[in-house]
Amino acid sequence: MSNASKGLTTHPVASTFVDQREQLLLAPYAMHSSDSLGRQHPETEHAYRGPFQRDRDRILHSSAYRRLSGKMQVFTGEMGDYHRTRLTHTQEVATIARTIGRVLGLNEDLIEALALMHDIGHPPYGHAGEDALNECAAEFGGFSHNRYALVIVQELELRYNGFTGLNLTQEVLAGQTSRIDKNKSGLHRLLEVQLVDAADSAAYDAHDTDDAIKLNLVTLDDMSHLELIRSSLEAIRRKHVNLDKGLLRKATVHYLVNQQVTDLVNWNRSQLEERMFSSSTQARDSDFVIGPSPELIEKKKELERFLYERVYRHPRIVRVREAAQSRLKAMYERYRQRPELIPAHYQPRLREIGVSRMAVEYLAGMTDHFCEQTYAKVFID
Ligand code: MG
C-alpha cells in the first residue's frame, strides 16, 4: 500500500524517502545511505536528496570540477577539439560505472559522486603535468593528483561559512584516499569505489583508441590484430557491410565499450551471486575486488601495451609533453623566486603552507590554456 493510499503525507521526509528507495533498489552488499559515517561538520538531512547525491552535486558545482573542461586527458588542444578532455573522460567514467552499478544493485549516487571526483585533482597536461609537479615537490613529499583531489575538496573549495571544503561524506573521502596508493595491501574499499576504478579503465581504453585513430596517430588496421579490436570488427562486419572509415571507427569504439561493460556486468554479477555478501562491510572486508574477468584482463593488457607503445609514446605526444613539463618547472622556479606573482587571494595560504607548496598547488589548479597564458605573463617582466 502506498503512503498516499494509507492517508500519510507523500512529501518525502528526510532519510525516510532515501532509505525506502534504497531498500527497494539496492543489493544487500551496496553502501546504503543510512549506514554512512556522515560528515566532519554535522548537517541536517536534506528533504529528498540523499547524502551521496548531495556529495555528487557539491562536486559538480565546484570550480575545480568545471576546470576539468580545460585540462587534457591524453591529447592537447593543439590537436583539435574532437578528443576527450579530462571532463568528458570523467563523464564517460560516470556513465559506464552507473550502468554497471545499476545492474549489480550498487549505490548509483555514491558511484557518481566518486566518479565525478576521481580526476578532480589532475593538474594541467595530464600525467606529464603530474610528473613535472611531482619532481618540483620532491623535497616535500611529491605531488599526486589523487592526494591533491582531497586537498581541493577539504581545503581549497570554499562553500560554507565557518569551515573550508565541501564537507563530503566519509565514504567519498575514504574512496578517494584509497586511490592514492592502490597497491597498498589491506585496502578495504567499498564495491562502489572498486567499480569506479574498473569503469575508469574501460573508459580510457576505449576513448584513447578512438582519439588516437581520429588524430591519425595510428590506424584501425594497425590495431586489427589486437583481440579486443579484432572481435569488435568481426561483430560489426556481421551486422554491417561497407561502413565508411569514420563510422567503422565509431562502431569499433562502441563495441569496445560494450564488450568491456558486458564482461564487467556478467563476471561481477556471477561472483557476487556466489559470495552472497549480506552487507557492504562484509563485501568491503573480503578479498573480492570488482574488475574484469581473467580473459578480459589479458585482452585489455594487450590493447594497453599497444596504446602505451604506439600512442602515449608517439613523437607528437612526447613533444607536447616535454614542452609542458619544462613550462611547469620554469613557472615553479619563477614563483619560488617571485612569490608576489602568485595572485593576492592566495597569499594567506602561501603564508600558511610556504611558497614552494603554494606554487605547486597554484600550478596544479590551472587549466592547460590558463597555464600557457600565465607562462607568457610571468616571464614578460
Ligand atoms: Mg580517470
Side-chain angles (χ1 to χ4, degrees):
M1 193 187 280
S2 73
N3 281 347
S5 52
K6 279 187 285 190
L8 301 173
T9 173
T10 53
H11 183 73
V13 181
S15 55
T16 314
F17 168 67
V18 175
D19 290 349
Q20 285 175 350
R21 191 173 179 277
E22 290 187 355
Q23 285 301 336
L24 213 62
L25 297 173
L26 302 191
Y29 48 70
M31 177 68 208
H32 287 66
S33 297
S34 54
D35 295 332
S36 171
L37 295 174
R39 308 175 188 281
Q40 188 186 352
H41 306 281
E43 291 180 29
T44 47
E45 294 284 345
H46 192 273
Y48 46 83
R49 287 187 306 149
F52 304 128
Q53 202 180 348
R54 293 174 86 184
D55 283 359
R56 179 204 60 198
D57 297 347
R58 288 171 194 198
I59 296 161
L60 183 74
H61 292 285
S62 68
S63 58
Y65 182 80
R66 285 193 297 281
R67 287 201 300 274
L68 293 178
S69 68
K71 298 193 179 201
M72 64 178 262
Q73 178 70 16
V74 175
F75 310 103
T76 56
E78 294 152 40
M79 295 179 172
D81 55 10
Y82 174 84
H83 55 266
R84 276 69 178 175
T85 63
R86 195 61 62 179
L87 181 68
T88 57
H89 158 73
T90 295
Q91 288 168 327
E92 291 187 30
V93 173
T95 195
I96 287 173
R98 253 198 343 255
T99 299
I100 301 165
R102 186 173 299 178
V103 185
L104 299 181
L106 294 174
N107 192 319
E108 287 178 54
D109 291 333
L110 176 57
I111 287 170
E112 201 174 3
L114 291 162
L116 296 194
M117 179 163 171
H118 90 283
D119 271 351
I120 207 171
H122 250 291
Y125 314 117
H127 289 284
E130 175 162 35
D131 292 344
L133 291 181
N134 190 37
E135 275 183 48
C136 296
E139 59 198 66
F140 46 93
F143 175 84
S144 131
H145 78 271
N146 283 318
R147 206 179 311 126
Y148 182 58
L150 288 168
V151 175
I152 290 173
V153 301
Q154 291 182 296
E155 297 177 52
L156 302 183
E157 288 286 335
L158 299 178
R159 178 68 56 89
Y160 303 102
N161 195 14
F163 57 86
T164 61
L166 302 177
N167 201 27
L168 302 177
T169 59
Q170 299 300 322
E171 288 71 28
V172 168
L173 295 175
Q176 183 62 31
T177 305
S178 73
R179 295 181 59 82
I180 295 171
D181 184 2
K182 288 186 209 160
N183 299 320
K184 199 164 131 188
S185 61
L187 273 187
H188 296 288
R189 311 200 301 160
L190 290 168
L191 295 176
E192 285 84 355
V193 178
Q194 301 171 14
L195 173 56
V196 170
D197 256 6
D200 190 19
S201 166
Y204 61 64
D205 279 352
H207 66 50
D208 289 353
T209 298
D210 184 25
D211 290 349
I213 297 171
K214 172 72 180 174
L215 293 173
N216 296 319
L217 300 176
V218 289
T219 65
L220 199 47
D221 275 349
D222 294 336
M223 303 184 78
S224 60
H225 64 286
L226 303 169
E227 185 50 33
L228 274 174
I229 305 292
R230 194 196 58 73
S231 52
S232 299
L233 287 171
E234 214 175 82
I236 295 163
R237 287 188 179 122
R238 274 199 301 270
K239 259 180 110 178
H240 307 281
V241 276
N242 298 332
L243 281 187
D244 74 29
K245 236 171 105 188
L247 282 180
L248 184 61
R249 186 192 75 247
K250 286 175 188 171
T252 307
V253 175
H254 163 79
Y255 272 83
L256 206 46
V257 176
N258 196 49
Q259 276 191 75
Q260 294 185 84
V261 172
T262 305
D263 176 277
L264 284 162
V265 164
N266 292 338
W267 170 255
N268 293 291
R269 185 164 52 184
S270 69
Q271 294 291 306
L272 287 165
E273 275 168 10
E274 241 173 64
R275 293 183 182 240
M276 293 172 56
F277 296 122
S278 58
S279 68
S280 63
T281 44
Q282 198 190 11
R284 186 192 64 190
D285 297 340
S286 76
D287 60 356
F288 173 70
V289 179
I290 288 188
S293 68
E295 302 86 72
L296 182 62
I297 288 176
E298 287 312 309
K299 294 179 194 170
K300 280 170 70 69
K301 271 190 197 158
E302 186 195 29
L303 172 63
E304 286 166 6
R305 262 196 309 273
F306 179 91
L307 290 172
Y308 179 74
E309 281 159 20
R310 298 285 304 275
V311 177
Y312 306 143
R313 295 202 304 183
H314 192 284
R316 275 173 69 194
I317 303 281
V318 171
R319 221 174 12 251
V320 173
R321 190 183 301 151
E322 287 173 353
Q325 290 187 324
S326 59
R327 189 178 304 140
L328 280 173
K329 287 179 191 170
M331 289 172 85
Y332 173 71
E333 288 307 330
R334 185 72 166 163
Y335 286 133
R336 291 217 307 174
Q337 291 152 5
R338 304 267 314 271
E340 72 279 7
L341 291 173
I342 297 176
H345 62 279
Y346 289 106
Q347 295 297 328
R349 185 159 172 87
L350 186 153
R351 285 191 287 278
E352 192 189 314
I353 63 173
V355 64
S356 301
R357 285 173 198 266
M358 187 64 243
V360 168
E361 271 189 12
Y362 181 46
L363 288 165
M366 293 182 180
T367 60
D368 303 352
H369 181 60
F370 183 77
C371 187
E372 275 149 44
Q373 276 183 330
T374 312
Y375 177 78
K377 258 190 236 162
V378 294
F379 283 101
I380 277 175
D381 52 333

